[in-house]
Structure formats: structure tokens, C-alpha cells
Amino acid sequence: MAITGKPIDRVDGRLKVTGTATYAAEFNQPNMAYAVPVRSTIAKGTITTFDTVAAEKSAGVIAVLTHKNASRLKAINPEEQMKAGVIFIGEDLVPLQDNQVHYFGQFIALVVAETYEQARSAAALLEVTYNKEKHAIDLVSELPKGYKPKLLFGREAQLNTGKTADLIAASPHKIEQTYTTSTENHHPMEPHATVAVWEGADKLTLYDATQGVVITRAIAAYFLNLKPDNVRVISPFVGGGFGTKGTWLHIVLAAMAGQVTKRPVKLVISRQMMQTNVGRRSATIQKIALSSDPKGKLTAIRHNSETYTNLTQFFEPSGLATAVLYEAPLREITYQVAKLNVGAPTFMRAPGEAPGTFALESAMDEMAFEMKIDPLAFRVLNHAATDPETKHPFSANYLLECYRVGAEKFGWSARKMQPRQTRNGKYLIGYGMATATYPAGRSSASARVQMTIKGEIKVMTAASDIGTGTYTVLAQTAADALGVSVERITVEIGDTNLPPAPIAGGSQTTASVHPAVLAAVETLRKDLMLLAFSDTKSKLNGRKADEIDFAKGKFYLKGDASISDSYADIMSRNNKQIMEACATSMPASGSGLGAPVAPCMVVPLATEENSDAKKYSFHSFGAQFAEVWVDEDLGTIRVSRFTSVQDVGRIMNEKTARSQIIGGVIFGLGAALMEETQYDKHWGNPVTRSLADYHVPVNADVPQIDVHFIGKPDPHISSIGARGIGEIGITGVSAAIANAVFNATGKRIRSLPLTLDKLL
Ligand code: MOS
């Protein structure tokens, strides 16, 4: 393994920094028209009239679509959708089918024009009247009318309801607190965009910014009543996803506009639409109660999470981490969900764990303080050696090592137990830490590998690189498995014409796709070697596989590298210009690592296929450490340094892995200190409309982030030993920062973001 793990530069880095990587909105077509959606200006009610005359007369306008003239699409039908692989659909609302308004900003019309500017200008001329109804926008007042969800990702949502009450009430050592987190919106650098091109009456190509071309194809085919084989989705580069680029049905709006205008149509989501139409992380109100014995061993954990949803089954699952962290004889996790007239919530980097670990890890800090135990020692004391909920052993778990390494690298021993002990001028300095965790998923995936006689190797799979490094690490895996340099490898991804791969979501691309690529490359290598063995002109004629090693594009005899045969010579003597192999890898039932199945299969991709989950609990773990400086006069908080230690299995590329964790920590820093979507209660619209008022961290907000990996392979996740790494980086970050603020100031803030008004 010469290259895997090495911090090599991104193979697509040059394309990106020179602006030559092509993103969805850049696939301009001849004769292309531009579509701009019109959004509702009420949060609930019905549309009574549309006056489209002025818009239609406006310069360059080709069509104005509303529910009155738009074609009828397939309706929402969860059972049928499931069968068709329609998963990770953003909201259960097919656009322009009726006059109902469910949230402020809902797409209610579409203007198509010769240019983007013309479409946008005409969109402003559309006159809409409504029959406005009273909308629900306030979480606290709507919660009593809400519901208790039965299922969460196919499992029981409510655990041990009501069981902890007496135990916690009777315990002399306990804390019981409420923590709140704000609604947040995803803001990848690249907003969603689609270019829809009809290649015939029933054949569609979509250039789309998506985390998964396979699911986007399934969704487009389903709602437009097309055969999936007749829909091609192309998405070679994606400028960030974070959960918002599942699939939202503006893709069918673009396709509908294409049908009406008989032209290719581009639809780009604006930054303001990112706040209303493509998901969010809902606000949460989390009540946590912990009780402990006199020695600091937890006796019960209760976590009740309240949140809101609309137009989807999804709700922010904040109790997920609570189910897996810490040993405690009794654990109660419950949910209450209200329905608000706000756009659909969706997956956002570590959905559940991100806000959930704020509450749980703040509560752990409070309990440790109550027990006069160092917060890190308190966590070690309550460490769960096996999964406390399922009782299964972890596939691998080096959390204790994360704590130890983190404490050492950060200098945790210098922390004072009592707050307000460390000061530099007007700044109070504090240390805080928290545990990170995220489950490790794996799905089936297929890959094809080709090698030419010139030694050019192509790796093909319909996976996505949403900025994560997929191109690079796949090239590393293939290079090592063939014993060639990484420059020889070209990776083709993001196209439904390639062998299917799962969505880049749930931190599962590496664990899912690499076993398939590895199996395909190994098949190719074996085919090539067998050609040499059976070739009387080969120096390796008659040899056996276990006598052979490979490097630098050659097979050679172990112990005598002079007895060798190069891939090029073997292919040349056998008149082969190109050789190819395919494989599918599946985390199949009871098969340990999951079996590679050759050749490439067009398998329906399920998200939770890993039946090894019945034998092992697959999770990543980490420890987050923050130092903050708090200005005592102004209440401003600056994170001055941050240490993150992660146990995520084998590291495929130290540089892209480190970037993932840094990105996660910055995401968490944003949630901790500034990110907050605020709604006007009267109109139901987000008043934080753009990045001018929805604040995300900029370089000046971000300190030195020190990242360390345990790096030990997970022997059960796959043949690769790597677990996903995209989401764990954010978990625990906001709690580590809030805990550091308490250590600095003595003030416990239980509400995110930690803005100065809450501190003063
Ligand atoms: Mo991630 S929130 O599963 O894209």
C-alpha cells in the first residue's frame, strides 16, 4: 500500500482552482432557455388568482407555468416511491399541481425566458392573490398539537418512555436541563442547479448538482413518468452538499419547462431560495436529565427532543448519539414533533448528532461539574465498551485513545476545574471538551475498471465527489491495487451511465465504493496474471499466483524481481488493446466484510443494507477540545484553538481526511457561535435571507484546528477498513465550545448560537 493513506493533493485540485471543473449550471446548451421560480409570499393558504399578463408580455418571456397550465405529474405515494428507489427526496410536495401553499417561499410558478435576467425580471411582474390562512410558525406553541413519531430510520423512535422518572427523581446526584438549538440552513458554495435537456419525447438528460446521480435519476423518472433507463443524470463536480443535495423537485420544474418550450432549460436556485426551498436543520428543544451514583457512574440518561417538520417524514433525530454514548443501566429517548408552515427539514451534516451532542455533551459537562470530577475523566468513567442499546460489540472503538491523545495534544491537564481562573487582560480563557460520534454506514456499489495497452487506467462508478476527495482516494486505491502511480489513473464518477453507487450521504461513500473498486481492480489484475501464466513467451509461464508480486506496472517473482512480465507486454502478446473488469460489493447478510460480486450489477441500492449490523455496532468516535477567549466587557467569544482527534478507521488520504474534519469543526463552530435562521412570526418568512445576515464562519473566525487520527482499520466494515468521515467532525464541537465558555466565565449557556446577548 504505497499511496493509500498518503496526503497527496487532490487529483481534481487543478481543475477546481483554475475554474475548469464544470459544475451543473455551467453545462450551457445551444438554444438554452432560463427558468426562474416564483415563490409564495404567504406561509399558508390558497392561491386565488394569478395575473400572468404583464409577465408574459415582458421582454424575452417564453412561458409562464402555474398550477393552472402545468402538466400533471405523478403524485406522492410513499409505497410506490420506495419500490422505485425514490429516497432522499427533499419534500413531499410535487410543484405546480394545486393552489395550496404550505410555507413561505414555496414555488408557485415558473417563468421561462431567453435570458436569466429577463426571466427574473418577469417573475417580479407576476400578480398573485391569496386566501391567507393562519400559519403555524412558533415551535413552542405548536408542540402540544404535535405528534410522537413511531419510527426513526425504520427503527423504534421512542425508547423506554417514562421509565427514568422515578429513578432520576430519587437520585441525590442529578442534573435536569433544557438545551435549545436554532434552525440552520445549508449554504454550500454552489447552490443547486439543473440543466434539463430533452433528447426526445421520453428521454431526458439532467446536469444536476446532486449528492447522488442514481437517486436523482429515480426521482426524475418517477415524477415525470419516464423509464429510469431513459433518464441520464450527469454531475461530475458538486460544490458542497451537506445533506441539502438529496433531490428537490425543482429538477422536474426544469424538465417541465423543457417540455413546454421544446428547449434545454437551466434553473439555478438563488442564495435566498437556499433559505426556503431546499431544506434546513430544524430548531430543537432538548430536555436532558442525568443521574449518577456517588462515584460518578451514570444510573440513568433521559433525552427528550422536540422539533418541527413539514411535508416530510424526516425530523431532526437529536437522540441518536444518546443511544450509543455512555454506559447507563437505564436510558430513555423520546421525540415530540410539531408541524410548522416552514419548508421541509432535511438531512444536514450529522443530522441528529450535531444538535444532539450539543445537549448531551453540555449535560455531561454540567454533571461532571456537579460531581466535582474532571469532565474528561467523567466520560472515561462512563465509557460504553459495547453498544449500550443493542448490546453488540463495536466493530472497532478507540474512543478512549481519542480522549488520551486529545488531552495530551491539547494540554488538557492545564485546565482548572473552577471557572474564571484563567485570564489575559480583559479576556477570560476557558477549556472545554466533548465526545464526537457518528454511525458508520455501508451500501452496495458497483465499479468498472479499464486498462489500455499504454497503461492508462480508468475507474468508473456513479459515486459523487461533493468536495470530499472521492476522485483522489479512488485513484489511490486503484493505483495501489495495480502497483502503478496515481497519475496513471483517471476516475470517472457522477454519471448514471456508470455502474451504480450510493448517494454521498450518511458518510458512506468511502466504505461503500472502495470495496467495489478494489474488487474490480483485483479481478482485472488476476485476469492479466493468468494471461501471463498461460503464455509460453512469458517469463512467468506456468507460475502460480502465490509466487507473484506486482509493482511499477509489472508482475515479478517474489524474491527475484528480474523474472518479470509487464502489463503492457502481456497485453501486447495477447493482442489486447484494452482489458476491463467489473465488480459489485455488497455488505451482505452474515458475510463479515461483505462479498464482492462480479460482474457489475445494476442492483437496487438500499441505504441500510449492512446486515452485519446484527453482529456489530458500526460507529466512529472522536474527542473535541476547544479553547475560548471571552471578552468580559463585550461578551464576544473567540475560539482561539481547537483539537480534534478522530477514530474513523483507516485513513485513505491524510490530507483530504484532515480537510473533512476541519470542515466539520468549522461547521460546528458556525452552529455554536453564529448560524441561526430567524423567521418573522407575522409573515412566516425567514428574515435571514442571505449570507449578509445568515452568518457563517469566515477565515477570521477560525482558529488553528489541530486534527489527529487514530488510523486503525475497522476489520468489519469492509475490505478497506475505512469508515466514513464526512459528518463526525461537526459532532461535539458546539458543546466543546459551550463547555469552554462555562470554564472561562462560569456562565452556562444552553441555547445555540452562543451570541453575546446571551452571555452579558
Ligand atoms: Mo449527509 S447530512 O447524510 O449528506
Side-chain angles (χ1 to χ4, degrees), residues 88 186 211 241-244 347-351 438 466 504-507 727:
F88 295 111
H186 320 67
Q211 287 176 232
F242 313 120
T244 183
F347 305 87
M348 181 165 174
R349 203 172 203 167
Y438 193 75
I466 55 175
S507 297
E727 291 170 270

Side-chain angles (χ1 to χ4, degrees), residues 5-8 476 651-659 709:
K6 295 262 161 63
I8 66 162
Q476 288 173 281
I651 298 302
M652 305 301 289
N653 177 322
E654 266 180 42
K655 188 182 235 174
T656 55
R658 182 170 176 274
S659 295
F709 294 108

Side-chain angles (χ1 to χ4, degrees), residues 194-254:
T194 300
V195 176
V197 185
W198 287 93
E199 322 272 1
D202 62 350
K203 212 161 174 259
L204 176 68
T205 298
L206 290 173
Y207 300 89
D208 188 44
T210 173
Q211 287 176 232
V213 290
V214 177
I215 53 146
T216 297
R217 171 175 64 185
I219 290 167
Y222 180 85
F223 289 104
L224 294 162
N225 261 314
L226 300 170
K227 286 200 203 98
D229 285 350
N230 280 2
V231 179
R232 182 177 178 192
V233 179
I234 298 173
S235 185
F237 295 98
V238 182
F242 313 120
T244 183
K245 287 179 185 155
T247 302
W248 299 82
L249 293 182
H250 61 264
I251 64 165
V252 303
L253 281 180

Side-chain angles (χ1 to χ4, degrees), residues 204-400:
L204 176 68
T205 298
L206 290 173
Y207 300 89
D208 188 44
T210 173
Q211 287 176 232
V213 290
V214 177
I215 53 146
T216 297
R217 171 175 64 185
I219 290 167
Y222 180 85
F223 289 104
L224 294 162
N225 261 314
L226 300 170
K227 286 200 203 98
D229 285 350
N230 280 2
V231 179
R232 182 177 178 192
V233 179
I234 298 173
S235 185
F237 295 98
V238 182
F242 313 120
T244 183
K245 287 179 185 155
T247 302
W248 299 82
L249 293 182
H250 61 264
I251 64 165
V252 303
L253 281 180
M256 284 161 92
Q259 279 173 325
V260 170
T261 61
K262 310 259 181 279
R263 292 168 66 167
V265 171
K266 182 194 288 193
L267 191 161
V268 176
I269 297 297
S270 68
R271 192 54 72 181
Q272 292 189 9
M273 291 173 193
M274 298 293 298
Q275 290 283 104
T276 52
N277 301 84
V278 286
R280 71 221 65 254
R281 191 199 300 282
S282 299
T284 69
I285 301 170
Q286 301 178 60
K287 294 167 184 151
I288 299 228
L290 303 174
S291 61
S292 119
D293 71 12
K295 292 196 174 118
K297 276 272 203 189
L298 291 171
T299 51
I301 301 175
R302 178 168 67 230
H303 189 168
N304 173 248
S305 187
E306 302 171 333
T307 188
Y308 68 85
T309 192
N310 189 22
L311 298 166
T312 172
Q313 302 289 313
F314 179 87
F315 62 93
E316 188 69 24
S318 303
L320 289 176
T322 306
V324 75
L325 287 178
Y326 310 120
E327 197 55 71
L330 192 55
R331 189 179 311 262
E332 178 178 341
I333 300 171
T334 56
Y335 294 97
Q336 173 79 10
V337 179
K339 198 179 159 306
L340 296 188
N341 294 109
V342 169
T346 195
F347 305 87
M348 181 165 174
R349 203 172 203 167
E353 288 84 358
T357 51
F358 168 65
L360 178 66
E361 291 298 290
S362 293
M364 287 295 285
D365 202 70
E366 296 203 48
M367 191 75 203
F369 190 71
E370 177 84 20
M371 300 302 293
K372 301 189 174 53
I373 301 175
D374 173 86
L376 195 155
F378 183 59
R379 285 170 173 84
V380 172
L381 187 64
N382 286 289
H383 175 66
T386 53
D387 186 322
E389 203 47 53
T390 65
K391 314 290 181 208
H392 296 153
F394 290 108
S395 57
N397 179 343
Y398 298 101
L399 176 55
L400 292 175

